[in-house]
Amino acid sequence: EAGSRWALARVPGLQVENFNGRLGGLWNADRLIWQQDATLVELDAPELDWSPGCLLKMTLCIDRLHAAQVRLQVAPSAEATDSGPITLPDLKLPLAIQLGDVNIGSLQLDGAEQFRDLQLAAHWTAQGLQLDSVHVQRDDLVLDLAGLLQPSGNWPLKATGLLKLPEQDGKAWAVNLDIQGELLKTLQLEGISNGYLQGQIRGELQPLADNLPAQLRITAEAFKASAVLPDTLQL
């Protein structure tokens, strides 16, 4: 523990409050802050447990990675513009990665919450990042997902999941999804809507483009927006 504190004190721009444990295994802290120029990263209640012995097998094994809240403030680039879609690099890692238990209570980017209650288990394979389970919430939407993401080229994604939407008219609403396509371009969506709206859904989504362009087609045999409406207003 003393050696870990000594090493952390020599990282430029890093502050750690109430560090306990050792960097080569299990450690936690009340707060971690790293700043470089106008870029700031803050973690509340970070906890990391990893297995250094896995490096002998060319694998980074993270058994547990928790943080109550992550806040990012990113310095704007002089060359940055908001007119284009987000780009992602090709990731060619020298190590395999195994994520056992990742839990992020909330992620804020420049003061705006991006998501909360992230729970993730995944491992890196020759085919890409195998998402064993992903649970994430944004506003009133909750998504559970599993699939395969290839972090190169246009980042192809194949996944299945369950999207829970807010209750409507006192009825639960969920959509079983099948997702295929490219994260950097267009994802094709097929699903079955249950609960408030019974029907089939097909469409496409550009998840990283400005304003989230999407097209959606819903096929339903019958739909009435509210139980208090007369049957003559059933679609």
Side-chain angles (χ1 to χ4, degrees):
E1 185 167 346
S4 297
R5 291 178 184 273
W6 179 89
L8 288 170
R10 276 146 185 81
V11 178
L14 182 67
Q15 302 177 43
V16 182
E17 298 177 4
N18 195 23
F19 175 87
N20 295 286
R22 57 189 182 89
L23 292 176
L26 171 62
W27 65 268
N28 61 75
D30 289 346
R31 196 177 183 203
L32 185 149
I33 304 171
W34 177 79
Q35 184 169 9
Q36 184 179 64
D37 300 325
T39 299
L40 178 66
V41 181
E42 296 181 84
L43 281 75
D44 292 341
E47 181 179 357
L48 175 65
D49 186 10
W50 69 295
S51 304
C54 282
L55 295 175
L56 298 175
K57 300 182 292 183
M58 298 299 292
T59 303
L60 176 61
C61 298
I62 297 178
D63 302 316
R64 183 166 68 253
L65 175 60
H66 287 190
Q69 189 175 73
V70 178
R71 294 180 295 277
L72 306 177
Q73 294 183 14
V74 181
S77 171
E79 302 176 355
T81 64
D82 294 331
S83 59
I86 296 174
T87 60
L88 297 173
D90 290 350
L91 296 183
K92 298 179 181 179
L93 301 182
L95 297 174
I97 295 179
Q98 183 173 316
L99 303 175
D101 175 16
V102 177
N103 192 312
I104 306 297
S106 172
L107 173 67
Q108 293 185 4
L109 177 60
D110 294 332
E113 185 177 73
Q114 303 301 307
F115 60 75
R116 64 182 184 273
D117 192 24
L118 170 66
Q119 301 173 36
L120 169 67
H123 61 278
W124 200 281
T125 69
Q127 290 75 36
L129 184 61
Q130 182 68 47
L131 303 171
D132 299 319
S133 64
V134 180
H135 174 90
V136 66
Q137 183 170 350
R138 176 164 179 168
D139 300 326
D140 293 329
L141 304 178
V142 181
L143 178 64
D144 289 279
L145 196 69
L148 178 66
L149 176 64
Q150 299 178 38
S152 61
N154 289 318
W155 286 53
L157 172 66
K158 292 183 179 180
T160 57
L162 177 66
L163 176 64
K164 295 181 180 178
L165 296 100
E167 285 190 3
Q168 300 292 331
D169 198 35
K171 297 180 181 179
W173 191 5
V175 179
N176 290 284
L177 285 174
D178 183 87
I179 305 170
Q180 296 193 38
E182 298 175 321
L183 194 62
L184 286 178
K185 288 192 173 181
T186 302
L187 295 177
Q188 303 296 327
L189 309 176
E190 292 191 11
I192 299 176
S193 176
N194 296 293
Y196 172 69
L197 173 59
Q198 297 283 344
Q200 296 181 334
I201 294 177
R202 300 190 68 178
E204 61 181 34
L205 168 71
Q206 298 178 46
L208 301 184
D210 287 345
N211 302 318
L212 204 67
Q215 293 183 355
L216 197 64
R217 180 182 180 89
I218 300 173
T219 304
E221 292 187 5
F223 173 65
K224 189 164 67 172
S226 173
V228 301
L229 296 175
D231 290 341
T232 55
L233 294 182
Q234 177 172 278
L235 304 180

